[in-house]
Structure formats: C-alpha cells, structure tokens
Amino acid sequence: QVQLVESGGGLVQPGGSLRLSCAASGSIFSINRMGWYRQVPGKERELVATITSGSRLNYADSVKGRFTISRDNAKNTVYLQMNSLKPEDTAVYYCNAFILATTTLRPYDYWGQGTQVTVSS
C-alpha cells in the first residue's frame, strides 16, 4: 500500500506565506512526478505545480513567481512554499504522486487527502 500524507495548511492573511508538505510512504519502488493541485467548491481540480524525478518544474501561470515546489527524494517528500498569498489562492490543496509500488507492475497516480488553505483578513 502507498499513502500520501499532507500537512501545513491553515489560515493566513493576504500577503502571507505557508509551506505545504507531503510525504509518501509504503511499498514504494520509485516515484516519478510529484505535485500539487487545488480545488474550490464547484470547480474542477487544477494543477498548481509539479516536479519530476529529474527536477523538471511546471507551474500554473497564476502562481508563477509566488510559489516554489521542491522535493526531497531521500524522504519521498514534496513541498510547496507559497508566498504573497492572495484570497484567490483559497482552496483545498491535494498532493499527487506518480508511483511505482513494489506490489504492482506499472506506476499509478496516488492522491493525498487534501489540506485546506484559506487566505483571508
């Protein structure tokens, strides 16, 4: 079994910062892409940022220059540093990872349970 556990969400004022963490655990053979997505009620889940095992980065235009994604391969953990937060960044943030488990023949997408980020004064 593979699990993704997120932490770091919360309430922050506009202009503030938060750091999200997501640790993958379980029967992991290798992790390719890791990333963060977000969703607000009534809208589709959208990409925030991704990072490959080779450290190739991809950001949504709305967060470029404000958010930074990084990963610690030794800890199977991905981070999202969010600066200059805006009210429109309010959403549930989900961790995603494309993982080859030791118990499967091909990699699958795994998702965390989500963590709420609220930007409000």
Side-chain angles (χ1 to χ4, degrees):
Q1 300 291 342
V2 173
Q3 284 188 318
L4 300 182
V5 178
E6 300 136 338
S7 60
L11 172 64
V12 63
Q13 292 187 342
S17 298
L18 280 176
R19 189 190 195 210
L20 304 182
S21 300
C22 172
S25 63
S27 305
I28 297 171
F29 180 78
S30 64
I31 304 178
N32 187 350
R33 182 193 67 253
M34 302 185 83
W36 293 93
Y37 292 72
R38 66 187 182 187
Q39 189 170 24
V40 298
K43 291 191 175 182
E44 292 187 357
R45 190 172 297 185
E46 65 175 10
L47 178 146
V48 176
T50 60
I51 180 169
T52 69
S53 56
S55 298
R56 180 175 296 179
L57 308 177
N58 184 39
Y59 292 97
D61 288 342
S62 59
V63 307
K64 283 180 181 177
R66 300 187 299 121
F67 290 11
T68 302
I69 189 170
S70 61
R71 64 190 280 176
D72 184 333
N73 291 327
K75 296 181 179 180
N76 290 335
T77 300
V78 63
Y79 306 96
L80 185 68
Q81 178 66 44
M82 304 185 292
N83 299 328
S84 302
L85 282 160
K86 305 175 181 180
E88 50 264 42
D89 294 318
T90 296
V92 177
Y93 283 70
Y94 295 91
C95 174
N96 168 263
F98 196 55
I99 296 174
L100 176 62
T102 58
T103 54
T104 61
L105 297 179
R106 68 171 185 85
Y108 290 88
D109 268 314
Y110 293 85
W111 293 89
Q113 79 282 0
T115 185
Q116 177 70 45
V117 172
T118 302
V119 184
S120 175
S121 55

